[in-house]
Amino acid sequence: MAKYNITEKKEKKAAYRSLVSPKLMDELKEKILKIILIEKRYKDKDYSAKKLAEDLGTNTRYISAVVNVKFHMNYTSFVNKYRIEEAMTLLCDRRYQDLNMEDISDMVGFANRQSFYASFYKFNGITPRDYKLRNIELHPAIGERPKKRGRKPKTEKE
C-alpha cells in the first residue's frame, strides 16, 4: 500500500480503555452514533473528538476508548468512514456528475482533496475518480443526462 503514503498501524493496548465501564461505554456509543451519524456531524470539517467530548460532557480519552473498543478504529477513521460512504453515494448519483472531486470532498466534510483521496483509497483500494468511472461503466444510465421534459415538437398535420 505504498500509494498515498498509508501505513498499517500496530495494535496498542491503552490502559484507559479498561477504566470505562461497559455500561458507560454502551451509553457513549449510542450518543456518539446519534451525533456523528444521525445529526450528520461528520460533514463538519471542524467537528473534532474534542468538540464531541464537550457535547457529550466527557473527555477525549473516553471518546477515543469507546470508538476504539466499539468500532475498532480511531476517531478520524470512524468519521472518515461515514464521509467516504456518502462520497460513494454522491459519485454514483447522476445529479452530482458535474461536480469535481474537490466539490464532493467538501460536501462530505473533508478539509482538502488530498485527505479525501487518501481516505477513499484506504477504505476502497481505488481512487474516487476510478470508483466513479467504474460505476459509470457498470451502470451506463448513471452517466446519461436526464432527458428534458417538455412538449413534443409539432408536426405538419397538427
Side-chain angles (χ1 to χ4, degrees):
M1 273 211 193
K3 199 169 190 176
Y4 297 110
N5 202 20
I6 297 172
T7 56
E8 292 294 322
K9 295 207 176 195
K10 294 179 181 100
E11 188 70 27
K12 293 186 279 186
K13 289 284 180 192
Y16 60 85
R17 288 182 195 169
S18 60
L19 299 175
V20 184
S21 73
K23 183 181 177 197
L24 179 59
M25 205 169 270
D26 288 338
E27 287 174 14
L28 286 174
K29 176 189 173 190
E30 294 306 315
K31 290 177 181 179
I32 290 169
L33 283 172
K34 180 185 177 288
I35 290 173
I36 299 296
L37 190 57
I38 308 298
E39 294 178 13
K40 297 192 177 198
R41 295 305 295 263
Y42 64 87
K43 289 184 175 187
D44 183 350
K45 293 173 186 50
D46 301 318
Y47 199 71
S48 63
K50 184 177 180 182
K51 287 184 182 176
L52 176 60
E54 288 170 6
D55 289 348
L56 295 177
T58 188
N59 62 51
T60 55
R61 284 189 177 259
Y62 276 34
I63 297 296
S64 179
V66 171
V67 172
N68 274 279
V69 171
K70 294 295 185 178
F71 302 106
H72 310 289
M73 59 183 82
N74 64 31
Y75 177 79
T76 303
S77 295
F78 174 71
V79 171
N80 285 347
K81 176 182 174 235
Y82 294 110
R83 291 174 175 166
I84 296 302
E85 287 173 0
E86 176 133 352
M88 290 166 64
T89 302
L90 296 177
L91 289 168
C92 293
D93 191 326
R94 71 177 180 203
R95 293 174 293 181
Y96 302 103
Q97 290 303 302
D98 292 335
L99 296 180
N100 62 33
M101 290 304 154
E102 287 83 4
D103 294 335
I104 298 286
S105 166
D106 190 56
M107 285 174 71
V108 299
F110 282 97
N112 58 59
R113 191 175 79 84
Q114 290 80 8
S115 59
F116 172 55
Y117 265 73
S119 292
F120 198 98
Y121 191 85
K122 178 182 172 187
F123 279 92
N124 296 307
I126 59 173
T127 65
R129 183 181 180 281
D130 290 342
Y131 179 83
K132 181 177 180 178
L133 293 174
R134 280 188 190 176
N135 278 286
I136 289 173
E137 287 173 12
L138 292 173
H139 309 284
I142 293 171
E144 293 175 8
R145 297 279 174 247
K147 292 182 175 77
K148 291 186 179 180
R149 294 181 185 179
R151 295 185 192 178
K152 294 180 185 175
K154 291 185 177 182
T155 60
E156 289 181 33
K157 292 181 181 178
E158 291 181 49

